[in-house]
Amino acid sequence: MNATTPVIPQADPGAGYRAQKAAIDAAVARALGSGWYILGKEGEAFEAEYAAWQGAARAVGCANGTDALTLALRGLGIGPGATVVTVSHTAVATVAAIEMVGATPLLLDIDPDTYTMDAEELEAVLADPPPGLPPIRAVIPVHIYGQSCDLAPMLAAAQRHGVAVIEDCSQAHGATYAGRKVGNLGQVACYSLYPTKNLGALGDGGVLTTDDTALADRIGAIRQYGWKERYISAEVGVNSRLDELQAAILRVKLQVLDANNARRQAIAAAYDAALAGGRFTPPARRPGCGHVFHQYVLRVDDRAALMARLRAEGVATAIHYPCPVHLQPAYRGRTALGPANCAETARAAEQVMSLPMFPELTDQQVERICAVLRAL
Ligand SMILES: *Cc1c(COP(=O)(O)O)cnc(C)c1O
């Protein structure tokens, strides 16, 4: 590579826009011309189309993925006086949402191969909760990097203990567990539609899905001041609405979500082949599950040097995430941890490195990245 060779970015939401520019521009013009900008026909159509794609009875749009989680918790009546179990190896949003509703987070460790919640530790804390915490009312499994958690034992344990399951599918739109799309397995599922996610808006957005129509109605009311009828709050709510522009854009992008996930899988397979027999192990796939590769993550010891070397070869990388939530300044020393003390979480944070992963990577770019990987 020479000084003028452009660096291949790790993510590129602009490429997603350019790939569908004509259709997105037309959708934006339609939304602008409608004269109705919040909770209108585009939002309703997006909710119907997303629910149909997901295979859920209902979808409810909202302002972002963090709010989707708070709305799910509020909708289930979970707030002060409740503990909610999740992981520390996640976007901080998962933990922030728990505290936003006044509940207490309890953070568990991860399985070192798949980076998802340790199912055995979940069973242990549900059977024998750590002392001093309010009762556990919900668990939020995070399907991180595009791969499902080991849901069967988690769902069984949650059911045994009367605990709600709220799936955080923000990185896993379209991932499957035992042949079913994630998001269809708990009480309610939450999805960020942040621009770089597998389904990404061109701004902020979020959505929830559930088969519980009463819960969907309640969440739909809470997202707009608790209104059931205009100007009359039936219960205390918030303002977290999906706007018509984003909904119109998302309707276009939803049409290519499956194809885009297939492209991500093809890129992942190319990386696997390039790494075969070398010093790095491709990411583990949970048997029987469909991984949609929000990220393609390697575990490496010499991360800083390796990232610099890849950068010099024209390949950008990123770290998801460099610091576990419980070690970040806002949370350090005051967030409850499970019995495993998040030891694998801390180790992962020092070793994970994400290769470029977005559907618009060209074959040429993928081949260039593979050539660099083969030479490592
Ligand atoms: C992106 C993300 C969120 C937060 O979504 P926002 O739309 O940024 O609020 C929550 N959880 C996970 C796992 C995420 O990746």
Side-chain angles (χ1 to χ4, degrees), residues 63-69 90-94 142-144 168-171 190-194 196-197 204-206 294 321:
N64 55 67
T66 312
D67 281 0
L69 291 161
T90 182
V92 71
T94 316
V142 179
H143 305 304
I144 197 123
D168 187 343
C169 301
S170 295
Q171 303 192 6
C190 303
Y191 313 75
S192 169
L193 305 171
Y194 182 79
T196 58
K197 302 291 161 107
D204 269 320
H294 175 59
Y321 295 90

Side-chain angles (χ1 to χ4, degrees), residues 12-293:
D12 187 2
Y17 167 57
R18 288 189 297 277
Q20 288 189 285
K21 185 175 184 319
I24 290 173
D25 287 353
V28 166
R30 186 179 70 228
L32 290 177
S34 74
W36 190 278
Y37 303 112
I38 300 274
L39 294 188
K41 290 197 173 66
E42 298 292 342
E44 274 170 31
F46 171 67
E47 289 176 347
E49 289 158 12
Y50 193 76
W53 173 84
Q54 174 64 28
R58 293 277 297 280
V60 182
C62 66
N64 55 67
T66 312
D67 281 0
L69 291 161
T70 65
L71 288 166
L73 290 163
R74 283 177 194 276
L76 291 167
I78 294 167
T83 292
V84 177
V85 179
T86 191
V87 283
S88 188
H89 187 72
T90 182
V92 71
T94 316
V95 181
I98 295 168
E99 292 201 331
M100 280 168 76
V101 302
T104 302
L106 169 61
L107 305 183
L108 302 189
D109 208 358
I110 51 170
D111 158 50
D113 294 328
T114 56
Y115 309 98
T116 55
M117 182 184 284
D118 180 339
E120 283 178 24
E121 192 182 9
L122 176 65
E123 290 176 307
V125 296
L126 291 179
D128 185 16
L133 294 177
I136 296 172
R137 297 278 316 280
V139 54
I140 306 181
V142 179
H143 305 304
I144 197 123
Y145 303 149
Q147 173 150 256
S148 174
C149 296
D150 187 12
L151 276 171
M154 298 167 71
L155 293 168
Q159 196 166 23
R160 216 162 38 241
H161 295 279
V163 166
V165 174
I166 301 168
E167 292 177 78
D168 187 343
C169 301
S170 295
Q171 303 192 6
H173 318 70
T176 60
Y177 180 83
R180 292 177 67 186
K181 268 189 189 137
V182 300
N184 288 339
L185 293 115
Q187 271 71 33
V188 53
C190 303
Y191 313 75
S192 169
L193 305 171
Y194 182 79
T196 58
K197 302 291 161 107
N198 289 40
L199 178 63
L202 302 179
D204 269 320
V207 64
L208 304 96
T209 59
T210 181
D211 283 336
D212 180 341
T213 53
L215 179 62
D217 286 342
R218 178 153 195 231
I219 289 168
I222 295 170
R223 78 169 161 184
Q224 181 164 243
Y225 320 125
W227 286 356
K228 282 190 182 132
E229 56 183 301
R230 208 167 173 77
Y231 305 127
I232 309 291
S233 292
E235 65 178 307
V236 174
V238 299
N239 176 1
S240 179
R241 299 174 297 213
L242 181 65
D243 72 68
E244 290 285 283
L245 275 176
Q246 296 307 330
I249 292 164
L250 286 161
R251 292 180 67 195
V252 176
K253 297 189 102 193
L254 181 58
Q255 290 171 22
V256 295
L257 174 54
D258 289 334
N260 281 350
N261 280 343
R263 175 68 181 157
R264 287 174 183 268
Q265 289 164 340
I267 295 166
Y271 292 167
D272 284 355
L275 292 166
R279 51 190 272 248
F280 300 111
T281 312
R285 271 67 150 186
R286 175 161 281 120
C289 297
H291 194 322
V292 291
F293 288 97

